[in-house]
Amino acid sequence: MVLFALVGCSRSPVVPPQTTSSVLDEYRIGVGDALRINVWRNAELSSDVPVRPDGKISLPLVGDVQAAGQTTTELSNDLANALTEYIRSPQVTVIVTNPSSSDFQRRVRITGAVRSPQSLAYREGMTVLDLVLMAGGPNEYASSNRARLYRQVDGEVKVFPVRLRDLIEKGEIETNYSLQPSDIVTVPERSF
């Protein structure tokens, strides 16, 4: 009975964040991207267009079309459907020539009680510890073992505990999660 009570008091195992396919998902067009629209055998309809701040592009015959938030395949299909009124069996190809919105979409952020809160470009293989070290580590007011990782998973935000002090001081790597684009790590201040 005593043994059962001691086991019940031990730390509960940390469940690692669910891995989603967001790192490998097809690119979604964003505001500020430059696109090359090719309409096969219709050079006068083909053009280079920017994605405007309202998320739309403008093309001859079809006018304004929503582009932001779509994949190139989705936008190609939308344009082809819009052009069927004017062209028999249009074949449209969309190429992202300058993915300027991707830098913002593919960032990781660290906030709170760190020496230098930052928003950094995501790099394959980044971990929580990498991000914390790039931010100069926790400051003197940090409650490091109460840090949290916030991740968008299937349309909702999931929160995962990060025992940062244990990671840095004791080498306990259970909560040194691999990061994904758009992850946010927060390090709260301790209460005095």
Side-chain angles (χ1 to χ4, degrees), residues 153-188:
V153 178
D154 297 327
E156 66 179 82
V157 176
K158 300 280 186 180
V159 182
F160 303 95
V162 177
R163 291 192 309 275
L164 195 53
R165 186 181 72 228
D166 293 347
L167 174 61
I168 293 170
E169 294 176 9
K170 299 177 184 177
E172 295 179 7
I173 61 169
E174 295 85 20
T175 61
N176 188 26
Y177 307 120
S178 292
L179 295 176
Q180 294 182 8
S182 299
D183 279 355
I184 300 170
V185 174
T186 62
V187 181

Side-chain angles (χ1 to χ4, degrees), residues 12-189:
S12 60
V14 176
V15 178
Q18 297 175 4
T19 302
T20 65
S21 61
S22 67
V23 175
L24 304 175
D25 282 349
E26 190 172 353
Y27 181 78
R28 296 238 170 235
I29 297 167
V31 170
D33 288 351
L35 307 178
R36 173 75 182 147
I37 311 296
N38 291 313
V39 182
W40 189 58
R41 292 190 176 175
N42 288 278
E44 64 280 355
L45 296 177
S46 298
S47 60
D48 293 313
V49 295
V51 180
R52 300 188 317 238
D54 64 357
K56 295 181 179 181
I57 59 172
S58 295
L59 290 174
L61 295 181
V62 296
D64 292 344
V65 178
Q66 181 66 34
Q70 296 200 62
T71 66
T72 55
T73 304
E74 292 167 343
L75 182 57
S76 294
N77 292 336
D78 286 353
L79 293 173
N81 289 336
L83 287 169
T84 56
E85 187 176 329
Y86 309 99
I87 302 170
R88 187 181 335 157
S89 302
Q91 294 183 17
V92 180
T93 305
V94 175
I95 301 168
V96 179
T97 58
N98 183 2
S100 66
S101 69
S102 70
D103 181 52
F104 183 74
Q105 294 171 3
R106 294 184 53 83
R107 294 187 82 69
V108 289
R109 294 154 179 93
I110 183 163
T111 64
V114 291
R115 298 196 188 286
S116 177
Q118 297 190 32
S119 174
L120 300 163
Y122 169 79
R123 292 186 197 104
E124 192 71 34
M126 284 180 90
T127 65
V128 168
L129 184 58
D130 294 327
L131 186 60
V132 170
L133 293 175
M134 285 187 246
N139 67 26
E140 60 274 11
Y141 305 109
S143 178
S144 300
N145 272 355
R146 290 185 26 233
R148 299 283 180 261
L149 167 65
Y150 296 86
R151 174 172 294 162
Q152 190 87 11
V153 178
D154 297 327
E156 66 179 82
V157 176
K158 300 280 186 180
V159 182
F160 303 95
V162 177
R163 291 192 309 275
L164 195 53
R165 186 181 72 228
D166 293 347
L167 174 61
I168 293 170
E169 294 176 9
K170 299 177 184 177
E172 295 179 7
I173 61 169
E174 295 85 20
T175 61
N176 188 26
Y177 307 120
S178 292
L179 295 176
Q180 294 182 8
S182 299
D183 279 355
I184 300 170
V185 174
T186 62
V187 181
E189 288 187 354

Side-chain angles (χ1 to χ4, degrees), residues 1-12:
M1 181 65 103
V2 173
L3 181 59
F4 179 76
L6 291 175
V7 172
C9 293
S10 69
R11 262 192 226 168
S12 60

